[in-house]
């Protein structure tokens, strides 16, 4: 199976989820999607993550982003886990997991997306199946993979960073710009290297030339 890279078409699949059966490409539709995986239900770090995703539902909706989790357990376990997530999450803020979680007990989808941990004797569950790793895929409406991040089991994901990257990608798709180090929405952006300076001035008006290859402009508001 070829490796999935940035720019690859996200493989399609059919799956059972906590909101019913889905076809992944149909689920994406005309939206952006965050697909994020978990080694298993009732795990502490992942419990905090799913609660955070639920609490930030509005942030994702405002960006036309759907979220969908995947965990190597069955639907019954998923539904029981959601109760724990909502109960624990309520200590931090209103938490109601409405997004789907894929049941991937046989690891078929995890294998398709190469979301498996190094397969050695210490990284297998009680059934002898390899553990999944905690991976994030950001996929655009054309079903193209635009971001991948893999996290160790011990470190919770930073959804501020994931949203920041989505803001950058969506802005770059709309305007001919890229974003600098530590960029946040609303800050100055970089004119795309393929845009000549005179054309950039026509497009953006205010362009600061730091180097011939490094030109910045205020955050586009149109």
């Amino acid at each position: 199976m070829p490796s999935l890279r940035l720019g690859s078409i996200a493989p399609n699949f059919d799956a059972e989820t906590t909101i019913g059966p889905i076809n992944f490409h149909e689920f994406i539709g005309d939206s952006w999607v965050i697909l994020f995986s978990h080694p298993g239900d009732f795990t502490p770090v992942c419990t905090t993550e799913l609660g955070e995703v639920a609490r930030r539902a509005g942030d994702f909706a405002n960006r036309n982003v759907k979220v969908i989790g995947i965990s190597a357990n069955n639907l019954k376990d998923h539904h029981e886990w959601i109760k724990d997530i909502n109960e624990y999450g309520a200590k931090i803020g209103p938490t109601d997991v409405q997004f789907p979680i894929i049941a991937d007990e046989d690891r078929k989808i995890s294998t398709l997306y190469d979301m498996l941990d190094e397969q050695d004797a210490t990284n297998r569950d009680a059934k002898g199946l390899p553990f999944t790793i905690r991976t994030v895929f950001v996929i655009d409406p054309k079903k193209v993979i635009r971001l991948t991040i893999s996290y160790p089991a011990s470190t919770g994901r930073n959804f501020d960073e994931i949203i920041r990257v989505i803001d950058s990608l969506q802005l770059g798709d709309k305007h001919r710009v890229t974003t600098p180090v530590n960029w946040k929405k609303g800050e100055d952006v970089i004119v795309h290297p393929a845009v000549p300076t005179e054309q950039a001035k026509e497009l953006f008006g205010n362009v600061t030339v730091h180097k011939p290859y490094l030109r910045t402009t205020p955050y586009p508001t149109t």
Side-chain angles (χ1 to χ4, degrees):
M1 182 183 68
S3 297
L4 294 180
R5 302 180 184 276
L6 300 187
S8 297
I9 297 297
N12 195 21
F13 57 82
D14 296 308
E16 294 295 329
T17 80
T18 50
I19 64 167
I22 66 159
N23 174 275
F24 188 51
H25 281 191
E26 291 177 1
F27 173 80
I28 295 172
D30 296 323
S31 300
W32 290 68
V33 164
I34 297 172
L35 170 67
F36 61 116
S37 65
H38 302 273
D41 296 0
F42 310 108
T43 48
V45 175
C46 298
T47 297
T48 66
E49 290 178 334
L50 269 71
E52 173 70 2
V53 172
R55 286 188 294 275
R56 302 192 68 164
D59 291 335
F60 297 119
N62 290 340
R63 292 164 171 82
N64 188 33
V65 174
K66 296 177 180 177
V67 293
I68 182 166
I70 176 171
S71 185
N73 290 74
N74 57 47
L75 286 179
K76 180 177 181 296
D77 286 345
H78 284 0
H79 286 293
E80 290 300 315
W81 188 27
I82 287 172
K83 295 177 186 177
D84 284 0
I85 296 164
N86 288 337
E87 180 182 351
Y88 173 79
K91 299 176 181 179
I92 302 169
T95 305
D96 184 13
V97 174
Q98 295 291 327
F99 58 86
I101 305 173
I102 296 167
D104 191 35
E105 193 172 17
D106 58 8
R107 315 299 201 269
K108 283 185 179 179
I109 299 167
S110 298
T111 301
L112 179 65
Y113 275 75
D114 194 21
M115 296 188 288
L116 300 180
D117 203 346
E118 179 67 23
Q119 296 180 33
D120 60 38
T122 64
N123 282 324
R124 291 176 177 269
D125 66 10
K127 298 178 182 177
L129 293 170
F131 282 124
T132 59
I133 57 176
R134 298 166 60 252
T135 305
V136 178
F137 289 88
V138 172
I139 301 163
D140 71 17
K142 295 180 180 178
K143 286 61 175 181
V144 174
I145 296 172
R146 302 293 295 275
L147 170 75
T148 62
I149 311 176
S150 294
Y151 287 80
S154 59
T155 305
R157 281 171 267 218
N158 185 332
F159 282 93
D160 286 334
E161 168 62 7
I162 293 166
I163 289 174
R164 187 188 78 91
V165 175
I166 290 171
D167 285 339
S168 172
L169 291 170
Q170 291 183 342
L171 189 69
D173 284 358
K174 186 176 181 180
H175 303 279
R176 300 177 72 179
V177 298
T178 60
T179 54
V181 61
N182 298 332
W183 175 86
K184 296 185 179 68
K185 189 173 183 178
E187 295 179 347
D188 288 359
V189 297
I190 295 173
V191 178
H192 194 283
V195 181
T197 297
E198 290 307 312
Q199 184 182 2
K201 291 177 179 178
E202 293 176 5
L203 289 171
F204 305 113
N206 184 3
V207 175
T208 301
V209 179
H210 305 277
K211 295 288 183 181
Y213 56 85
L214 175 54
R215 300 151 301 159
T216 58
T217 188
Y219 181 87
T221 57
T222 58

